[in-house]
Each structure stands twice: as C-alpha cells, then as structure tokens.
C-alpha cells in the first residue's frame, strides 16, 4: 500500500472501504485496471476509522455479506457480524482482487475532466509526499455520504464530573470499566444502541439512552424475517403481514417497559435520517430494569460530580457518559468533482460515479410521510405529451409501461445487496462506454443532490428519468 502512484490506469477508486474494495473486484472482473486511493493509513473505511472492537453490523448477516470465505478453515460470519469479521472480508477481497493496487495515505483533492472524457485525478500525500496526478478513463467516488466529520459536543461543567466521558467511536471506550456502573449514552442512533449493548454486556448496573428524540430499535427476528418474507413482482411485501409484524414489535417494547418512539405516533417508522437499530439486548435489559430510553438533553454536569441535570430539570446519576452525538454529512465529493448533482444510477457524469449509502428519510420504507421535498426532481413532460397526444399511449408496449409501476427494495435493511448490484452495474458501464453514453444522454439532466441524496428519491428519480425518455419517444412523429 506504500508504492508509487501510477501515471495512468483504467479506473481510480477514491476510498478503500467496503464499497471501494468490493467495486474494485467488479472492475477487475470486467478486465479493467484499478488503483484505490485511501486517505487513511489502512483499508476498511469507517470500519477502520470509526468502528469499535465491539461494533456489529446493524443488520442480519445475509444483508451485509460481501463474499463467502472458502478453504479448510473457513467459517461463516457471525450473525450481526462483528468488526473483525467485516475487516477479514474486506482484506480477503482486497488481497484477491486489488493486491498491489491500493495506496494508503493519499487524499484525493481534485478531478479534472479532459477533452477525451478521461480524467486527471490529483492526490495529496498525507505524509509529506506532495501532490501527484493519475490519468484514468473512469473515476469512482467510494466515500461515505452519511458519516463525515464527528459532531463534537461539550457540556457545561464537564470538568466537575468524577466519572469517565468519551465518544462511542473509534475504540475510545475500550479502556472503560463498566462493571457495576451507571451509564448514560447520549444519542439515539445505531452507535448509541451499540454502546448501550456494550455497557450491559460488560456488566453495567444500568444504561440509559438519552436522545433529543427517540431512536428506533428492533429485535433481531424483526430484521431477519424481512429477508425471508415473500415479495410480489414489484418487490413489495404484504401490507397485512407488515401490520402483524409491527404489532408484535410494539409488544416487545411494552413487555420490556420501554417507551415506543414518538415518531410512530406520527406515522413514521424511525426518525429522520436514522437507521433502525437492531438489538435483542435492549429489550432483555429493559425487562430486567437495567436499561431505559429517555428523551431529553444534558444542560450541565452536577457540582457533586455524580451525574447531570437535564434541560427539563431532571437529575440523573451516572458514572460513565458516552457521547454518540452523530456525524456531519460528507460534503467533500462536490468539492473534489466540481459537481453538485448526480443521476439515480450512481453516475455523476460520463465516466464518473459515486457509490455510497443514501440518506435515510421517512419515505425510505415507501411511506409518503417524512419524505423529503422531491419537487426538484419531478418532471411533467410525459404527462404533457399524453395530454396532447393521448392516442400514443396505446402504442407503448406493456413491458415498457410496467416500468412505471413503483417498486420496493428487494434487499431489506442490508447494505451489501444494493452495493453489490449497483457496483456491478457501474463497472459494466465503465467497460461499455457507448452504452454508458446512451444512459447519460437518455437521462438528461442529473437531478439528484450529491450530498442530500435521499433513499426515497432514488426510485422516484429513476422513474422521472424514464418518463422523460418516454416523453421524447412519444413526441417523435412515428
């Protein structure tokens, strides 16, 4: 990982996390040469930089499986795979498909499109090597969208606290002694529930999730059955079955004496831009009086050093405070590329793509409630053509019209399914430039915001693109 940068290569991949490494495999299988440029000093992305040794994948194992280990000593990953299993998979894929093709300690700062549609990628060495350039046919940005810089929070009178304060990322909590302690975890996202689980597993007397709003967590079986339930031809599950699952899930909260998320009363499954955390231990601990979920904010630490006051005046005792206060969105891709919008197929421009998990709004699960404003990606071109030429609709083949039907997400809560399918498609586009050009020209303008790229808008954006293509076809004289 410390060799010189090549002068030319088919594909430059920015980022050597799980997305960059897996997609490198796809490019290599298409017969393309690659180089992965990683800012950190090791591969792994957020699994290397932010995960804890106690972290686990926030979905069932099948939803995050990027490969099958083989050989006489092979074993499957654990369910809700721990950090060491994921890092093993990343290193295995990297070693097989990108050996000698990773350069760590290089930060990509700029991409410049050339007249022949190739790119010059400029990278700065993080250890004083200066700036270097690589010319390539295709650029893939494979950097996390949802997790940028850590959001730091400092409370009044923290210095008076006699216990331990740390952030719940990057192994800051590794030194903590939880046994018999009272723990407050600030935040209500996936990292917060992970740290509650870690505290209880290591002997904490009691753990409290304290968030400005309630997060949503589910027992493992709720997550797992999402992968097992039958889908219809449009990848939708039965609405009646959804209701049965939800009622059983709600009963789990009640049986554990835990407050249900207030967003449920609003018709939302989870808060805005949160994931649904997965943990049996939250419910087990709650039923034994060892955990609770509170909504509130710390106002200040107490003068006696034994706890905190909340903004509503509530007094809480604690020995450990773990901050899981979230992350800023990653806004670096527009700065690197000079582009602000992209296509729902992951292309930013001809010969340039961005693969990353989308932001998660309420409409992620097919609900109109909580969905972000989509007016900027909507088009009325197809409707206008049909209004003026209604007879042309009869000439459109049924197999084409079926593409206008909304579709669900066949991959459930797992990241790997979408990553592997979309990475394979992007690599195919890179290896077939003429077809890629047709995709870009047919799609018209890029309509998806690169930074605020919402899950619920991906399908909608693709549908609007398709309708625009149909509008142009129906506008022809034939």
């Amino acid at each position: 990982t410390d060799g010189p940068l090549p002068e030319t290569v088919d594909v430059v991949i920015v980022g050597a996390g799980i997305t960059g490494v897996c997609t490198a495999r796809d490019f290599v299988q298409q017969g393309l040469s690659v180089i992965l440029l990683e800012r950190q000093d090791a591969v792994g992305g957020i699994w290397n930089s932010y995960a804890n040794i106690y972290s686990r994948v926030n979905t069932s194992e099948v939803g995050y499986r990027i490969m099958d280990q083989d050989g006489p000593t092979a074993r499957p990953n654990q369910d809700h795979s721990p950090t060491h299993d994921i890092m093993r998979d990343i290193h295995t894929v990297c070693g097989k498909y990108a050996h000698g093709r990773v350069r760590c300690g290089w930060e990509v700062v700029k991409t410049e499109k050339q007249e022949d549609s190739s790119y010059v990628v400029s990278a700065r060495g993080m250890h004083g090597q200066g700036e270097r350039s690589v010319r390539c046919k295709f650029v893939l940005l494979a950097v996390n969208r949802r997790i940028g810089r850590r959001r730091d929070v400092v409370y009044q009178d923290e210095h008076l606290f006699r216990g331990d304060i740390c952030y719940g990322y990057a192994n800051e909590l590794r030194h903590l002694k939880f046994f018999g302690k009272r723990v407050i975890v600030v935040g209500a996202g996936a990292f917060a529930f992970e740290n509650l689980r870690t505290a209880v597993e290591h002997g904490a007397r009691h753990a409290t999730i304290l968030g400005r709003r309630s997060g949503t967590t589910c027992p493992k079986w709720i997550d797992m059955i999402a992968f097992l339930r039958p889908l219809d031809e449009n990848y939708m599950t039965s609405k009646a079955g959804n209701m049965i699952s939800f009622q059983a899930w709600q009963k789990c909260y009640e049986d554990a004496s835990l407050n249900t998320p207030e967003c449920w009363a609003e018709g939302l499954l989870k808060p805005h831009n949160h994931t649904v955390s997965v943990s049996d231990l939250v419910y087990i601990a709650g039923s034994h009086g060892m955990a609770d979920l509170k909504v509130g904010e710390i106002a200040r630490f107490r003068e006696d050093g034994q706890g905190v006051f909340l903004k509503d005046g509530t007094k809480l005792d604690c020995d450990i405070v773990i901050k899981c206060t979230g992350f800023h969105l990653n806004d670096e891709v527009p700065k690197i590329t000079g582009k602000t919008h992209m296509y729902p197929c992951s292309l930013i421009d001809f010969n340039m793509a961005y693969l990353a998990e989308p932001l998660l709004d309420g409409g992620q699960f097919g609900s109109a409630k909580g969905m972000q404003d989509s007016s900027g990606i909507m088009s009325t071109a197809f409707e206008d053509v049909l209004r003026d030429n209604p007879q042309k609709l009869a000439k459109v083949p049924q197999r084409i019209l079926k593409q206008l039907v909304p579709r669900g997400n066949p991959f459930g809560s797992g990241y790997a399914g979408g990553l592997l399918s979309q990475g394979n498609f992007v690599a195919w586009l890179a290896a077939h430039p003429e077809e890629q050009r047709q995709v870009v020209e047919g799609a018209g303008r890029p309509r998806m915001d690169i930074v605020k790229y919402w899950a619920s808008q991906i399908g909608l954006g693709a549908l609007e693109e398709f309708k625009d293509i149909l509008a142009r076809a129906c506008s022809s004289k034939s």
Side-chain angles (χ1 to χ4, degrees):
T1 62
D2 57 357
L5 300 188
E7 293 184 2
T8 61
V9 69
D10 289 334
V11 182
V12 169
I13 300 176
V14 182
I18 191 169
T19 300
V21 168
C22 286
T23 313
R25 172 176 57 189
D26 295 318
F27 285 118
V28 170
Q29 290 174 337
Q30 287 287 343
L32 301 172
S33 61
V34 301
I35 190 75
L36 292 93
L37 303 181
E38 169 58 51
R39 178 167 53 190
Q40 303 296 325
D41 288 331
V43 302
I46 62 170
W47 285 100
N48 171 64
S49 58
Y50 279 132
N52 301 301
I53 58 172
Y54 309 119
S55 293
R56 286 180 174 269
V57 171
N58 194 41
T59 187
S60 299
E61 186 274 333
V62 67
Y64 213 87
R65 185 187 302 167
I66 61 172
M67 63 164 299
D68 290 316
Q69 294 281 350
D70 54 23
T73 61
R75 62 167 178 80
N77 288 352
Q78 296 179 40
D79 192 28
H80 293 268
S81 308
T83 300
H84 59 81
D85 275 358
I86 300 302
M87 289 299 294
R88 178 187 65 157
D89 286 351
I90 291 173
H91 279 276
T92 300
V93 174
C94 198
K96 185 174 181 178
Y97 294 96
H99 181 71
R101 308 304 297 174
V102 180
R103 297 293 179 269
C104 293
W106 287 93
E107 180 182 34
V108 172
V109 294
K110 184 171 58 174
T111 59
E112 296 176 283
K113 191 174 183 178
Q114 308 300 298
E115 290 185 2
D116 63 354
S117 295
S118 65
Y119 285 87
V120 173
V121 179
S122 300
R124 178 174 56 239
M126 303 298 289
H127 302 291
Q129 306 99 314
E131 191 168 301
R132 302 284 189 275
S133 296
V134 181
R135 187 155 186 157
C136 63
K137 298 177 182 177
F138 194 96
V139 179
L140 173 68
L141 288 300
V143 295
N144 201 291
R145 176 182 281 111
R146 296 178 56 231
I147 300 180
R149 292 177 292 107
R150 187 181 75 184
R151 183 177 286 113
D152 291 342
V153 177
V154 178
Y155 298 105
Q156 182 180 336
D157 296 331
E158 279 192 14
H159 65 284
L160 300 177
F161 190 50
R162 296 183 182 181
D164 294 298
I165 304 175
C166 71
Y167 283 88
Y169 325 114
N171 286 319
E172 279 197 28
L173 73 164
R174 190 172 185 175
H175 70 284
L176 297 181
K177 305 297 183 184
F178 287 103
F179 194 83
K181 302 290 182 64
R182 299 158 299 183
V183 181
I184 293 177
V185 183
V186 181
F191 267 110
F193 282 97
E194 172 195 309
N195 279 276
L196 180 144
R197 173 177 51 78
T198 297
V200 174
E201 286 177 339
H202 288 77
R205 184 200 313 178
H206 189 274
T208 298
I209 292 278
L210 179 66
R212 293 178 297 174
R213 55 188 176 180
S214 296
T216 302
T217 187
C218 73
K220 289 184 179 181
W221 69 267
I222 284 284
D223 183 68
M224 188 62 203
I225 62 172
F227 295 98
L228 303 177
R229 291 177 59 198
L231 304 175
D232 65 19
E233 62 179 357
N234 295 315
Y235 308 117
M236 300 290 192
T237 53
S238 162
K239 291 185 178 180
N242 294 344
M243 183 58 65
I244 293 171
S245 295
F246 184 76
Q247 289 172 345
W249 181 3
Q250 191 171 27
K251 187 70 162 51
C252 291
Y253 270 95
E254 295 170 358
D255 290 346
S257 300
L258 299 174
N259 296 322
T260 55
E262 62 267 20
C263 63
W264 284 9
E266 302 168 10
L268 298 176
L269 186 62
K270 62 177 190 56
H272 179 66
N273 204 25
H274 271 215
T275 58
V276 176
S277 301
V278 183
S279 176
D280 285 346
L281 198 56
V282 174
Y283 296 94
I284 296 171
S287 66
H288 288 281
M290 297 174 61
D292 63 359
L293 311 177
K294 290 184 178 296
V295 175
E297 294 184 66
I298 293 176
R300 60 185 175 87
F301 280 75
R302 289 172 9 207
E303 292 82 356
D304 63 5
Q306 301 293 328
V308 300
F309 285 111
L310 304 187
K311 289 185 176 180
D312 65 1
T314 302
K315 177 180 176 181
L316 294 181
D317 296 330
C318 59
D319 306 294
I320 296 173
V321 174
I322 302 174
K323 299 176 183 178
C324 296
T325 45
F327 302 88
H328 297 280
L329 299 182
N330 186 350
D331 60 358
E332 295 180 354
V333 171
K335 298 174 184 177
I336 293 171
T337 64
K339 304 286 187 179
T340 59
H341 288 76
M342 62 185 291
Y343 300 95
C345 67
S346 298
L347 289 175
I348 295 177
D349 195 358
F350 182 67
N351 283 340
M352 176 180 283
Y354 181 22
L355 278 179
E357 187 176 16
L359 306 184
L360 307 175
D361 57 338
Q364 173 194 7
F365 299 99
S367 170
K369 295 183 178 181
M371 185 174 179
Q372 293 299 295
D373 179 20
S374 301
S375 58
I377 65 176
M378 301 295 283
S379 170
T380 62
F382 184 56
E383 289 82 356
D384 293 343
V385 169
L386 292 183
R387 184 187 63 239
D388 298 333
N389 305 274
Q391 74 283 358
K392 290 199 171 185
L393 182 62
K395 297 181 180 181
V396 179
Q398 283 299 311
R399 61 183 174 82
I400 300 296
L401 291 178
K402 283 184 177 180
Q403 301 305 310
L404 298 174
V405 177
R407 283 174 166 77
N409 171 20
F411 304 116
S413 63
Y415 176 55
L419 160 64
L420 298 179
S421 63
Q422 199 66 16
N424 186 272
F425 178 61
V426 167
W428 185 88
L429 290 177
H432 297 82
E434 290 307 313
E435 288 82 353
Q436 181 196 163
R437 191 178 298 279
Q438 291 178 35
V439 169
V440 173
E441 292 176 354
R445 65 181 177 92
R447 62 189 79 203
M448 311 290 289
D449 190 290
I450 285 178
V451 176
K452 295 181 179 180
Y453 184 90
W454 297 96
S456 65
Q457 295 180 344
I458 299 173
L460 181 60
L463 178 62
E464 292 301 311
E465 283 184 356
F466 186 69
K467 287 165 60 179
D468 282 353
I469 294 172
L470 275 181
R472 289 193 293 273
C474 290
S475 296
S476 65
K477 295 181 179 180
S478 59

